[in-house]
Amino acid sequence: MGLGFLPYLSVSVMSNNLRLVVVPKKALGELRLIHHLSYPKRSSINDGIPDALCSVRYISFDEAVRMIRDLRYQQPGDLIIGGITSQIFILSSEIDFAEEPQMMLSTEPLLLAKNYQHILSFAFAVKEINENARLLPNITLGIRIYDSYFNAKQTYYSTLLLLSSWERFAPNYQCDIKNNLAAVIAGLDPLTSFHVATVLDIYKIAQVIYGPAPVMNDKTPGLIFYQMLPDEENQYRGILSLLLHFSWTWIGVVVMDNDNGERFVQTVFPSFSKGGVCFDYIERMPQLPFFSEIWSALEKGAKIYDRILGSKANVVVAYGDSYSMAFFRYLLYVSELELTKNAPKGNVWIGTVQLEPTSFVLQRTWDIQIFHGAISFTIHSSDLPGFYQFVERMNPTSAQWDGFIQDFWEQVFSCVLQKPGIDLLEGNTCTGEEKLESLPGPIFEMRMAVHSYSIYNAIYAVAHAIHSMSSSQLKHRIMAGEERRHLPKQQRWQLDHLLRTLSFNNSAGDTVSFDQNGERVASFDVINWVMTANQSFHRVKVGQMDPQAPPDQAFTINEDDIAWHRYFNQVRPLSLCSESCYPGSRKRVKEGEPFCCYDCIPCPEGKISNQRDMNDCLKCTDENYPNRNQDFCIPKEISFLSYGEPLGLVLASFALLFSFVTVLVLGTFMKHHNTPIVKANNRSLTYALLISLLFCFLCALLFIGIPEKVTCLLRQITFVIIFSVAVSCVLAKTITVVLAFMATKPGSRMRKWVGKGLANSIVLSCSLIQSSICVVWLATSPPYPDMDMHSMVDKIILECNEGSVIFLYFVLAYMGFLSIVSLTVAFFARKLPDSFNEAKFITFSMLVFCSVWLSFVPTYLSTKGKDMVAVEIFSILVSSAGLLACIFSPKCYIVLMRPELNNREQLIRRKRM
């Protein structure tokens, strides 16, 4: 409801305990009395709020209008800077039009005394400018300030008053030239800015907004307005950076229940969610426009406070208008009324520029410890020299142009200033010597607050723009030679242009300038609120959000300077939906809940997580593998069968030992080459077999050591060709034995096949086939050195890639074929009636050979790395040793140990036996 526009509206603007009620003139005679209002008791809320609702005086509507117009700051000057400030919040009775309204409708003003400093910043800035002969020489600035009462109707009315005569309200008429309005400093809250702009746009007067104005950014282009607050998007980015810096990913949000609060939610929700922050709750704090809604608002506030206390979120992001903090303080008040269910706890409140420790006068004794340790973002400001002393000297007797100070003084000091024509009912009389510095910080501050600093800079910006105009070539048409200065309409557009390109340093050394959108270029300070026992507080700067800095340096914070709420015992608070997932595990979002609520599950085998709260586990590079805890990667060990390790040394030793034994056997046979037992077994085949076995033992050494290009090309090829020669020799010896027996029969045609030619042909042909296969292998897909990084988790295997596994299996199959043929022939020839039948020993040796290589295949396929190489070397050595032992040990025994048996007669005799 608008103040001063209804004939039944009471006006409570005179003092803390004197209320003036508007009534029609015809009823004034009946109601000219002093009446004490009584309110029905309802629980204990009457112990708090109604303390300020005391005596009522009924006055006429005309008197009320005159009183409202007297509630202003009016200082004459050549050029006037208008101001719309916001100090008084009106609480009134609700009219529902269900019945005829009563003759008297009461209202109650809730004074935000702290905002009186905005008026003082106007006066201080204009005083400095008028005393500065260099800035505006021969020009005196004046001030005209009205209050907005935080409602649209009074804001429109106050704006029209700025445009009207000093003596009478006449919109659209210039009744005198004293009201030469240059610009208007207005807009503590977004809606106030919009309402003022709606009127000023008609007159094309520049508006400088000293509070946030998100609704103005959607206006029709071309309107003249400037914002002393930097782009709010930078503020939101700063809040997100703060949350992420402290890993606060589970937060609550409290906003005022209005369009501005809803706009904030719609703006930050997507960006915060994208940044990894979740919202446990979004609560909308009710306003108190009517008396009848007090109790329901307190009940709703109790539910909100219960939600805050019962939440796991220890961080609350609060957003609202300039008066919102006074409403948020009711959260603590409802706990004192025992309307809450949960036990009190500490929270970290994070506020935006509008939220400062503010109280209605009636809240002066309420505890403010709920906000101890709060962190807020404010426009960067500096202490201005002389402002503290200027405020200190302020009192009702010295303020000749200030129509606000008397009511302010009575409210904050709970006293009454003597006024002519009004009898005092009760109360202390103000002396005018009360000290402003004695007031607690939420009621009034001596140090210049952020919005006051913006007003100060705004006035100086207008003054510098006027200075630039007065120095231009239009000087003689605007100012010079005229007894009374005025600013024509066309020059107001020039003022707009000059403001847009303006840049200057204020008395504190801070630069003031605007960007292309008309928003001030400035940084945000991060402030920590430290509440004291005397219901006051002080600010501590703990960080900064500088949009002009590089992205990685835009946000800075000094955690050591932060005083946390006492509930946290000076330990950094946590605000998480789920405990952090430690390295070695990952997050799994709980179904149906925000992504910040999750379970922690171990990483799957082969993957790691090396940081907290990772959404997915990472796979190590091929050169690394996970440790046991799966929280970092370990370099893989290089693995190959080397001479330096026990297994490689043993295998190499056996290869050399068997080679030495083979050389001894070969030497023995060569030494006794003319003996019957050596001759009887085809010396050429025997020597070829022994030499091939020698190379079989030695080729095992090609498998030991770092695989290189030459060794990879030679080792399998050499192995299969030499073994093919050895098996071919065995096959040839077996066939020779069979043919020799068959040739001894009378009339046998096999005699022509008996001889060295057949044996040599068998060896050469069988070996040639294997060699041909190897040549094709080398020509098409030769072996090469390779690294196997995947077969073993913790090792990189240096190996020889066979190029084509098909060729490897093919040459092994061919070698197996020769072995089976030799075994078959020897098996059938084992019982031939010969005194020294070599087929028996060949049969046994081939049984050993085939058994080894048949077991080799599954063993080879089931092993990896150097074990696979060791299996192949073992098979080579065992199969070769089997041939050497089974075929040659009996002969060596006779040659060396029983030489008496090594003669023709003995062999023939044994044959006949």
Side-chain angles (χ1 to χ4, degrees):
M1 297 184 64
L3 182 61
F5 282 86
L6 291 176
Y8 306 111
L9 185 66
S10 69
V11 183
S12 305
V13 294
M14 294 302 295
S15 71
N16 186 41
N17 51 10
L18 185 62
R19 303 185 66 246
L20 305 178
V21 181
V22 180
V23 298
K25 283 186 176 180
K26 64 180 181 180
L28 191 60
E30 303 174 10
L31 298 175
R32 188 171 295 278
L33 53 87
I34 296 177
H35 176 69
H36 185 74
L37 289 179
S38 62
Y39 291 86
K41 291 284 184 180
R42 186 173 187 183
S43 183
S44 58
I45 64 169
N46 297 88
D47 298 335
I49 296 175
D51 287 347
L53 310 181
C54 299
S55 299
V56 178
R57 179 175 178 180
Y58 303 99
I59 62 174
S60 69
F61 176 72
D62 293 338
E63 290 179 84
V65 172
R66 284 194 298 272
M67 184 189 308
I68 294 170
R69 296 187 64 188
D70 288 339
L71 195 63
R72 64 187 179 186
Y73 191 107
Q74 187 162 290
Q75 176 181 338
D78 298 325
L79 294 177
I80 301 298
I81 296 181
I84 302 293
T85 59
S86 301
Q87 298 182 71
I88 302 173
F89 191 93
I90 298 298
L91 193 64
S92 61
S93 296
E94 182 179 13
I95 301 178
D96 57 9
F97 299 99
E99 58 184 16
E100 183 178 353
Q102 298 177 1
M103 292 292 292
M104 298 170 295
L105 297 178
S106 59
T107 64
E108 176 61 33
L110 301 179
L111 180 66
L112 285 174
K114 190 171 187 175
N115 290 359
Y116 176 68
Q117 192 192 87
H118 301 169
I119 296 174
L120 297 182
S121 65
F122 266 95
F124 179 68
V126 170
K127 176 179 177 293
E128 281 191 343
I129 293 171
N130 288 336
E131 292 175 354
N132 185 350
R134 291 181 298 175
L135 183 56
L136 290 179
N138 302 321
I139 298 176
T140 301
L141 288 183
I143 310 172
R144 197 171 182 190
I145 304 172
Y146 291 95
D147 200 89
S148 72
Y149 290 89
F150 296 99
N151 66 68
K153 183 180 293 185
Q154 185 60 35
T155 302
Y156 286 129
Y157 179 60
S158 297
T159 307
L160 290 172
L161 285 175
L162 288 177
L163 300 167
S164 301
S165 167
W166 285 27
E167 303 300 332
R168 53 181 173 166
F169 179 62
N172 295 330
Y173 287 92
Q174 186 170 348
C175 300
D176 56 44
I177 62 172
K178 291 188 295 183
N179 188 18
N180 189 14
L181 191 65
V184 175
I185 314 297
L188 177 60
D189 297 312
L191 288 180
T192 302
S193 303
F194 182 74
H195 298 326
V196 172
T198 303
V199 177
L200 295 183
D201 180 45
I202 301 173
Y203 297 89
K204 304 305 177 187
I205 296 176
Q207 176 186 0
V208 185
I209 302 168
Y210 64 95
V215 294
M216 300 289 285
N217 297 327
D218 300 328
K219 291 197 315 177
T220 304
L223 300 184
I224 309 173
F225 71 94
Y226 298 87
Q227 299 184 48
M228 299 308 296
L229 182 72
D231 186 2
E232 280 197 298
E233 292 293 331
N234 296 321
Q235 182 181 199
Y236 302 154
R237 283 194 289 269
I239 295 176
L240 179 58
S241 299
L242 176 70
L243 296 174
L244 297 180
H245 174 83
F246 290 112
S247 300
W248 293 332
T249 58
W250 188 240
I251 67 170
V253 174
V254 178
V255 299
M256 294 303 295
D257 191 7
N258 54 30
D259 293 341
N260 201 32
E262 198 62 35
R263 185 181 294 105
F264 171 78
V265 172
Q266 297 300 325
T267 301
V268 303
F269 189 88
S271 60
F272 280 27
S273 298
K274 185 177 180 180
V277 177
C278 298
F279 295 74
D280 182 26
Y281 57 84
I282 300 176
E283 295 293 343
R284 294 160 177 85
M285 190 72 181
Q287 301 185 70
L288 300 176
F290 303 110
F291 288 119
S292 58
E293 296 181 1
I294 290 179
W295 185 255
S296 62
L298 289 178
E299 288 179 331
K300 186 174 182 180
K303 293 179 181 178
I304 294 174
Y305 196 42
D306 261 331
R307 181 71 185 275
I308 295 173
L309 296 179
S311 172
K312 293 171 61 178
N314 290 322
V315 174
V316 183
V317 176
Y319 180 87
D321 299 309
S322 59
Y323 53 83
S324 298
M325 188 56 69
F327 283 98
F328 290 155
R329 292 192 64 186
Y330 281 96
L331 294 177
L332 187 61
Y333 185 68
V334 296
S335 66
E336 295 177 358
L337 297 178
E338 299 182 355
L339 295 176
T340 57
K341 300 176 182 178
N342 294 312
K345 71 166 187 175
N347 290 96
V348 179
W349 290 77
I350 299 177
T352 54
V353 168
Q354 286 294 80
L355 296 183
E356 290 193 354
T358 304
S359 299
F360 295 123
V361 172
L362 60 92
Q363 296 173 317
R364 71 169 70 229
T365 61
W366 293 10
D367 188 13
I368 60 173
Q369 295 304 310
I370 183 177
F371 302 118
H372 178 69
I375 299 174
S376 69
F377 284 74
T378 64
I379 310 170
H380 173 73
S381 61
S382 304
D383 288 329
L384 294 173
F387 181 76
Y388 185 95
Q389 292 75 15
F390 176 81
V391 176
E392 191 177 31
R393 292 191 299 268
M394 191 62 57
N395 61 67
T397 58
S398 65
Q400 64 180 99
W401 296 306
D402 191 348
F404 292 95
I405 191 170
Q406 291 189 359
D407 189 60
F408 162 79
W409 205 269
E410 290 178 339
Q411 295 273 356
V412 297
F413 291 113
S414 298
C415 61
V416 179
L417 287 167
Q418 186 67 42
K419 303 177 183 66
I422 298 180
D423 297 330
L424 298 179
L425 176 67
E426 60 182 9
N428 299 324
T429 302
C430 298
T431 65
E433 300 299 324
E434 291 82 5
K435 299 298 182 181
L436 291 174
E437 57 263 32
S438 66
L439 298 173
I443 299 297
F444 188 80
E445 287 187 81
M446 300 294 290
R447 176 186 178 273
M448 181 172 278
V450 171
H451 292 306
S452 300
Y453 189 72
S454 295
I455 292 173
Y456 177 87
N457 288 328
I459 294 174
Y460 261 93
V462 174
H464 278 277
I466 295 173
H467 173 78
S468 298
M469 278 202 313
S470 65
S471 302
S472 67
Q473 61 181 355
L474 300 177
K475 178 179 178 181
H476 66 281
R477 292 166 52 186
I478 300 175
M479 303 291 180
E482 296 187 4
E483 185 177 341
R484 296 190 179 188
R485 279 73 171 174
H486 59 275
L487 195 65
K489 181 178 179 181
Q490 62 268 24
Q491 298 310 317
R492 291 172 179 164
W493 285 102
Q494 186 180 4
L495 183 68
D496 169 46
H497 172 72
L498 292 171
L499 282 171
R500 191 171 299 276
T501 58
L502 191 69
S503 180
F504 65 93
N505 290 336
N506 63 16
S507 59
D510 293 336
T511 301
V512 179
S513 63
F514 300 95
D515 61 15
Q516 65 275 12
N517 298 320
E519 296 172 327
R520 187 187 166 197
V521 179
S523 60
F524 290 93
D525 288 341
V526 182
I527 301 298
N528 183 218
W529 298 352
V530 180
M531 306 301 176
T532 59
N534 62 351
Q535 305 303 316
S536 190
F537 73 97
H538 64 272
R539 298 177 176 89
V540 178
K541 181 179 177 180
V542 295
Q544 188 178 34
M545 177 66 190
D546 186 1
Q548 284 74 47
D552 58 334
Q553 302 174 16
F555 177 77
T556 56
I557 190 77
N558 188 353
E559 184 177 352
D560 295 335
D561 293 341
I562 299 177
W564 302 112
H565 193 282
R566 296 173 181 85
Y567 177 82
F568 303 112
N569 198 24
Q570 269 310 110
V571 177
R572 179 203 285 193
L574 298 177
S575 192
L576 304 169
C577 179
S578 301
E579 292 294 332
S580 294
C581 291
Y582 288 94
S585 61
R586 69 174 182 88
K587 298 190 295 186
R588 182 176 64 186
V589 178
K590 295 180 180 179
E591 187 175 355
E593 297 190 27
F595 62 86
C596 294
C597 302
Y598 48 80
D599 295 317
C600 297
I601 59 174
C603 288
E605 185 177 354
K607 291 187 176 182
I608 67 154
S609 62
N610 54 7
Q611 297 178 8
R612 287 191 175 192
D613 297 330
M614 293 187 65
N615 293 318
D616 293 300
C617 296
L618 306 175
K619 189 176 181 180
C620 292
T621 60
D622 291 339
E623 294 81 10
N624 301 280
Y625 71 99
N627 66 331
R628 179 178 297 179
N629 295 328
Q630 293 182 275
D631 54 2
F632 67 91
C633 294
I634 302 175
K636 290 183 178 180
E637 177 186 352
I638 303 297
S639 176
F640 63 92
L641 188 61
S642 66
Y643 291 102
E645 58 183 300
L647 181 59
L649 183 61
V650 169
L651 292 175
S653 300
F654 273 106
L656 294 175
L657 176 63
F658 289 143
S659 300
F660 179 71
V661 172
T662 304
V663 171
L664 291 178
V665 172
L666 179 60
T668 301
F669 271 60
M670 292 180 68
K671 182 178 180 181
H672 301 87
H673 68 284
N674 289 323
T675 58
I677 197 168
V678 175
K679 289 181 179 181
N681 288 277
N682 194 329
R683 285 180 296 185
S684 299
L685 285 179
T686 299
Y687 294 157
L689 179 58
L690 285 171
I691 293 173
S692 62
L693 288 176
L694 173 62
F695 284 113
C696 284
F697 290 127
L698 293 176
C699 78
L701 300 177
L702 293 173
F703 291 84
I704 304 175
I706 298 177
E708 296 179 354
K709 186 175 182 179
V710 175
T711 56
C712 287
L713 286 172
L714 292 179
R715 67 182 191 178
Q716 295 290 5
I717 303 298
T718 304
F719 152 63
V720 295
I721 291 177
I722 293 174
F723 258 78
S724 297
V725 172
V727 176
S728 299
C729 291
V730 172
L731 177 61
K733 287 173 71 67
T734 307
I735 293 175
T736 300
V737 171
V738 173
L739 292 178
F741 174 77
M742 296 177 64
T744 58
K745 295 181 179 180
S748 176
R749 298 180 180 179
M750 294 296 177
R751 291 183 178 181
K752 62 180 180 179
W753 296 102
V754 176
K756 296 182 179 180
L758 177 62
N760 293 336
S761 299
I762 293 173
V763 173
L764 290 175
S765 60
C766 292
S767 302
L768 185 60
I769 293 173
Q770 186 74 294
S771 300
S772 301
I773 298 173
C774 292
V775 169
V776 176
W777 184 6
L778 292 174
T780 55
S781 183
Y784 59 90
D786 195 11
M787 290 189 298
D788 182 3
M789 299 183 178
H790 307 291
S791 295
M792 301 184 73
V793 174
D794 58 344
K795 291 181 176 62
I796 297 176
I797 302 171
L798 298 183
E799 62 179 7
C800 288
N801 191 306
E802 308 305 343
S804 174
V805 179
I806 296 176
F807 275 104
L808 175 63
Y809 291 153
F810 195 74
V811 295
L812 291 177
Y814 178 75
M815 190 175 68
F817 169 74
L818 292 180
S819 303
I820 292 173
V821 171
S822 298
L823 174 62
T824 303
V825 174
F827 179 78
F828 287 111
R830 73 188 187 281
K831 294 184 178 181
L832 293 177
D834 194 354
S835 59
F836 192 80
N837 188 357
E838 195 176 17
K840 296 178 182 179
F841 306 110
I842 293 176
T843 300
F844 188 72
S845 65
M846 295 312 297
L847 280 174
V848 174
F849 187 91
C850 291
S851 299
V852 170
W853 287 103
L854 285 176
S855 61
F856 161 77
V857 175
T859 307
Y860 183 82
L861 295 177
S862 62
T863 55
K864 298 176 181 178
K866 60 185 178 182
D867 295 335
M868 180 185 290
V869 178
V871 167
E872 187 168 0
I873 295 174
F874 178 80
S875 300
I876 292 172
L877 295 178
V878 172
S879 60
S880 300
L883 291 176
L884 180 65
C886 294
I887 295 176
F888 294 100
S889 58
K891 299 176 183 180
C892 291
Y893 174 75
I894 293 174
V895 172
L896 298 176
M897 306 301 295
R898 300 293 298 276
E900 68 276 9
L901 299 179
N902 190 9
N903 56 72
R904 182 179 177 81
E905 293 75 12
Q906 185 65 29
L907 292 175
I908 293 174
R909 186 183 66 80
R910 292 182 60 191
K911 181 180 178 180
R912 292 174 178 175
M913 287 177 60

